Amino acid sequence: MSPKPSSPGHGQSSAKPVDAKGEGSAIRRYINSLARRSPARLAMLVFAGIILLVTALLMLPFAHSGPGSAGFIEALFTATSGVCVTGLTVVDMATYWTPFGQAIVALGVQIGGWGVMVLASLLALAVSRRLGLTQRMLAATETKSDLGDIGVLLRAVVITSLVVEGILTLAFLPTFTGVTSSFLAAISHSIFMGISTFNNAGFVILPDGLGPFAGSWAVGLPIVFGTIIGAVGFPVTLNVVRNLRSPRKWTLHTKITLVTYMALLGFAVVMVGLLEWNNPASIGALEGSERVIATLLHGTTPRSSGISTLDIGAMHESTWFVMDILMFIGAGSASTGGGIKVSTFAVLVLAILAEARGDRDTEAFGKRIPPDIIRLAISATFLGSFMVGTGTLLILHLTDLPLSRVIFDVISAFATCGLSTGITPDLPDSALVVLVVLMYLGRVGTMTFAAALALRHRRRVIRLPEERPVIG
């Protein structure tokens, strides 16, 4: 009788480590297999997991300033907006969340910002590893980087973001010291704004928002600076820093992104200034140089950051339309901003110009752009348009709001911008879920879709006969 109980005990103790080890190995094998077969799908799963984790943390009782826990929709929307570095809100960030909740949002923004840049670079790496040896060597030479050194990439992303966020924190601190209850509060607000600005998140936790600083150069200039640095993209920033004295060594991607981004920035500032200069509900209420910084800020932030010192809902619908275009184009690739990306827009414009001139090849800065990149740009643009169109249709069906306001907030969600005409907090839960999906797909959808298409590249021995359909 004595051996009987000892036998199961012995078998149980020996089976547990084997099962645990087997389960751990199975999980690792699945992740490794998924990373090899579908890195795009892995990226989407990682982002979804982070969003759910932040949602759970925000639903803790001590994350919400009121009695009980935060509502699920409020927590999910805020978590998605934070991790996807969007900035749209359905609650007052300054009063609804406790300092702990605000810290969780800031952490989600930071992880989301790092994740976007790192995952975009890793997806590019995955694509490059599917190419031949010659193409990979050419890519490594072109980017002046070691495509296999993930550690260097991660350290560079983290160091770059922390340095820029530190500079922004110091820039905001003197101004916030004079308007907060204590120096510690000023530091916390400055750190939060530094993280929010560089990561193009658009969140503000000041009790009165940024309205009192509409004409402040001390607040406006750091926002403009941080938005641009975060929006041009990590590959561009790293390439420029490495070859600061030798612009000729800049990659084609860097040149296209910088030229297109600055051209769009100039267009945005001019258009916002022309349309809102005499609007007494926005820029027209300011005086002198205050109008200049307000115009510069609101021409910069629609590209990606979504930080506003004026009431967007009080602006003209013509201004909304211009901002719709800017938000949809968005920021640079592998940046903290969203949209279809500046380089995508640039490639489409270059292809149209080449077709208009009758050129066989699409060229820029002495380089030829491959046809598969043009097809990829068309696909990403169509996918983005389809997302925006579907989201707009659903919210129009779920609400009685006008098209101009709905499409503005839908594009803002898809492009992870964060600007709003003021309708988002009043939307029903069903419409908020639509925006949550748009923020998620807009953040990782176009990036992973592009990678998935690139990874599906295949050569065919037999090609069908050519016939030209009528276009136009």
Side-chain angles (χ1 to χ4, degrees):
M1 297 294 292
S2 59
K4 192 172 184 179
S6 62
S7 178
H10 180 268
Q12 188 177 6
S13 62
S14 62
K16 278 186 177 180
V18 173
D19 292 342
K21 183 177 180 180
E23 291 176 1
S25 300
I27 294 174
R28 285 194 297 271
R29 286 197 300 270
Y30 175 75
I31 294 176
N32 291 335
S33 175
L34 189 61
R36 289 193 301 270
R37 291 184 292 104
S38 181
R41 189 183 304 172
L42 178 61
M44 297 188 75
L45 289 177
V46 169
F47 259 82
I50 296 173
I51 289 172
L52 292 177
L53 177 60
V54 174
T55 300
L57 292 174
L58 288 177
M59 292 187 69
L60 295 173
F62 44 87
H64 176 224
S65 59
S69 302
F72 174 72
I73 291 297
E74 288 78 5
L76 176 64
F77 193 95
T78 304
T80 306
S81 186
V83 175
C84 296
V85 290
T86 304
L88 285 174
T89 60
V90 292
V91 296
D92 186 354
M93 292 294 297
T95 59
Y96 190 84
W97 305 110
T98 63
F100 173 80
Q102 294 170 354
I104 292 299
V105 173
L107 181 62
V109 169
Q110 187 71 83
I111 294 174
W114 286 345
V116 167
M117 293 186 286
V118 173
L119 283 177
S121 300
L122 293 183
L123 287 174
L125 172 64
V127 171
S128 69
R129 283 186 170 176
R130 292 294 295 270
L131 301 177
L133 178 61
T134 303
Q135 287 83 357
R136 288 176 59 190
M137 292 176 63
L138 290 174
T141 303
E142 177 68 16
T143 58
K144 306 295 187 296
S145 63
D146 182 5
L147 295 179
D149 197 345
I150 305 303
V152 172
L153 171 67
L154 180 59
R155 286 195 298 271
V157 168
V158 173
I159 292 173
T160 300
S161 62
L162 291 180
V163 168
V164 176
E165 289 168 4
I167 294 173
L168 292 173
T169 298
L170 294 177
F172 289 126
L173 187 58
T175 302
F176 291 166
T177 301
V179 297
T180 53
S181 57
S182 65
F183 184 68
L184 183 61
I187 293 177
S188 64
H189 285 304
S190 299
I191 293 175
F192 190 97
M193 277 300 301
I195 294 174
S196 180
T197 301
F198 172 74
N199 290 287
N200 283 220
F203 286 115
V204 178
I205 58 172
L206 289 168
D208 297 325
L210 292 178
F213 307 101
S216 172
W217 284 79
V219 173
L221 274 185
I223 291 176
V224 171
F225 167 77
T227 297
I228 293 175
I229 296 299
V232 295
F234 172 74
V236 172
T237 303
L238 187 61
N239 186 233
V240 170
V241 170
R242 285 179 173 177
N243 303 283
L244 192 59
R245 297 184 178 181
S246 304
R248 293 181 179 179
K249 296 182 179 180
W250 290 357
T251 64
L252 176 61
H253 172 72
T254 296
K255 294 175 182 177
I256 286 178
T257 299
L258 289 179
V259 170
T260 308
Y261 187 94
M262 297 311 295
L264 289 172
L265 177 61
F267 167 79
V269 172
V270 169
M271 291 303 298
V272 170
L274 289 175
L275 296 172
E276 295 294 324
W277 194 263
N278 295 317
N279 183 357
S282 61
I283 295 176
L286 304 175
E287 298 181 358
S289 63
E290 294 180 345
R291 291 190 180 188
V292 176
I293 186 58
T295 302
L296 179 60
L297 187 146
H298 289 86
T300 304
T301 58
R303 304 297 309 285
S304 50
S305 74
I307 297 176
S308 176
T309 58
L310 299 172
D311 182 8
I312 300 296
M315 292 183 175
H316 298 305
E317 290 192 4
S318 55
T319 307
W320 294 350
F321 180 71
V322 171
M323 290 183 172
D324 287 342
I325 297 173
L326 297 171
M327 290 189 296
F328 184 76
I329 296 173
S333 299
S335 73
T336 57
I340 62 171
K341 300 298 186 287
V342 168
S343 54
T344 301
F345 174 75
V347 167
L348 292 177
V349 171
L350 290 170
I352 293 172
L353 291 177
E355 187 65 28
R357 291 193 298 258
D359 295 336
R360 179 180 180 181
D361 297 323
T362 301
E363 301 171 342
F365 299 102
K367 298 293 180 68
R368 176 171 53 87
I369 299 175
D372 59 313
I373 295 297
I374 299 174
R375 294 198 301 267
L376 206 58
I378 295 172
S379 301
T381 304
F382 177 82
L383 178 64
S385 302
F386 177 77
M387 291 180 184
V388 169
T390 303
T392 301
L393 178 63
L394 289 174
I395 294 182
L396 284 173
H397 177 70
L398 295 170
T399 66
D400 296 324
L401 296 168
L403 174 62
S404 58
R405 290 183 179 271
V406 170
I407 197 170
F408 186 98
D409 282 44
V410 165
I411 293 177
S412 181
F414 160 76
T416 67
C417 179
L419 292 176
S420 174
T421 57
I423 65 171
T424 299
D426 299 324
L427 291 176
D429 289 350
S430 55
L432 292 179
V433 171
V434 173
L435 292 184
V436 166
V437 174
L438 280 171
M439 287 189 288
Y440 173 70
L441 293 178
R443 178 69 282 174
V444 298
T446 53
M447 177 178 66
T448 54
F449 178 73
L453 288 181
L455 288 169
R456 287 176 60 86
H457 178 72
R458 60 180 180 175
R459 294 182 178 180
R460 299 180 61 179
V461 177
I462 300 175
R463 301 179 69 185
L464 298 176
E466 182 181 280
E467 185 171 345
R468 303 174 69 86
V470 177
I471 301 296

